[in-house]
């Protein structure tokens, strides 16, 4: 499963990219606002920090204007992935862009039927929002299972990008279901490294090593 980080904070992105475990980045207008940076500037900088896809979202709601915005965004770098909402105009834009070889992430997916439409529109990625689904009394991970089943039934090439990830269990469940990608905030990705027994084990080994009075090298 690929790991994307869901942020526009370049310090966090650089730090996680240095682990070699980061496959891409997702942003959205709220994350751009949180960064306090100019959209074009920060997106360009992010594209230079990772080799993989960097999702940058259009804000227009109609197809012709979405295309104009996408035209500007895709010139930023070769690894820009245009993010469009799961609407009729968004999927028209998706179809047009992917036909031209541009990566598209269809965002704000909340049902398996919507995911089916995104795949039929040739989306590179579909982003079902599991956290927001859970928040509203639905089962986010059941949605991922349904989409996996449907995509496998028809061999759709669209990658399932689990979004709105809130905690490590979402990551674990995504991997068990066989999602292609998950995007999570930096804190959730960092939390995956942690285990109390790892810390305890290191402390115990170091204490005993100290007692040997030896050094490596
Ligand atoms: C995905 O691409 C979105 O940016 C993101 O995962 C939204 O998550 P949220 O529900 O935590 O805002």
């Amino acid at each position: 499963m690929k790991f994307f980080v869901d942020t526009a904070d370049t310090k966090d992105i650089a730090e996680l990219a240095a682990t070699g475990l980061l496959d891409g980045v997702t942003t959205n207008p709220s994350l751009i606002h949180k960064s306090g940076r100019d959209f074009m500037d920060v997106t360009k900088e992010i594209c230079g920090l990772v080799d993989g896809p960097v999702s940058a979202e259009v804000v227009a709601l109609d197809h012709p204007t979405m295309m104009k915005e996408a035209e500007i965004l895709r010139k930023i770098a070769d690894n820009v992935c245009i993010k469009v909402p799961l609407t009729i105009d968004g999927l028209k834009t998706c179809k047009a862009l992917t036909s031209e070889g541009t990566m598209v992430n269809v965002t704000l997916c909340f049902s398996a039927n919507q995911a089916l439409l995104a795949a039929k529109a040739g989306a590179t990625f579909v982003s079902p929002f599991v956290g927001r689904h859970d928040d509203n009394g639905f089962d986010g991970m059941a949605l991922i299972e349904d989409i996996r089943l449907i995509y496998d039934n028809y061999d759709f090439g669209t990658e399932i990008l689990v979004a709105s990830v809130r905690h490590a269990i979402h990551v674990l469940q995504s991997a068990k279901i066989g999602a292609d990608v998950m995007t999570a905030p930096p804190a959730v990705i960092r939390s995956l490294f942690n285990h109390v027994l790892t810390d305890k084990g290191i402390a115990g080994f170091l204490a005993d090593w100290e007692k040997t009075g030896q050094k490596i090298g």
Side-chain angles (χ1 to χ4, degrees), residues 15 21 38 50 57 84 98 100 109 125 138 163 166 171 190:
E15 213 175 284
L21 302 175
D38 174 79
V50 292
E57 190 160 343
V84 299
T98 53
E100 293 169 5
C109 172
F125 303 102
F138 300 98
R166 303 266 200 263
V171 180
R190 289 197 186 99

Side-chain angles (χ1 to χ4, degrees), residues 6 26-28 31 83 107 127 129 132 163-166 183:
D6 197 31
T26 50
T27 69
N28 62 41
L31 293 170
K83 211 177 189 190
T107 192
S127 290
F129 277 37
R132 293 192 196 188
S164 187
V165 165
R166 303 266 200 263
T183 189

Side-chain angles (χ1 to χ4, degrees), residues 60-121:
L61 296 178
D62 65 286
H63 171 62
T65 320
M66 280 184 190
M67 288 301 289
K68 279 187 199 144
E69 291 179 354
E71 198 51 52
I72 294 166
L73 295 175
R74 69 178 170 182
K75 285 195 187 116
I76 294 175
D78 288 343
N79 55 337
V80 164
C81 174
I82 307 299
K83 211 177 189 190
V84 299
L86 210 155
T87 59
I88 291 181
D89 287 67
L91 292 189
K92 270 169 80 178
T93 306
C94 171
K95 185 95 189 155
L97 291 172
T98 53
S99 310
E100 293 169 5
T102 298
M103 290 186 286
V104 175
N105 175 359
V106 176
T107 192
L108 291 166
C109 172
F110 291 94
S111 80
N113 275 338
Q114 286 182 317
L116 177 57
L117 293 173
K120 286 178 70 66

Side-chain angles (χ1 to χ4, degrees), residues 154-191:
Y154 298 99
D155 272 337
F156 282 123
T158 300
E159 295 189 36
I160 303 172
L161 194 173
V162 181
S164 187
V165 165
R166 303 266 200 263
H167 47 68
I169 305 301
H170 276 154
V171 180
L172 177 66
Q173 289 172 328
S174 300
K176 285 169 86 168
I177 294 167
D180 302 286
V181 193
M182 73 86 205
T183 189
V188 173
I189 296 182
R190 289 197 186 99
S191 78

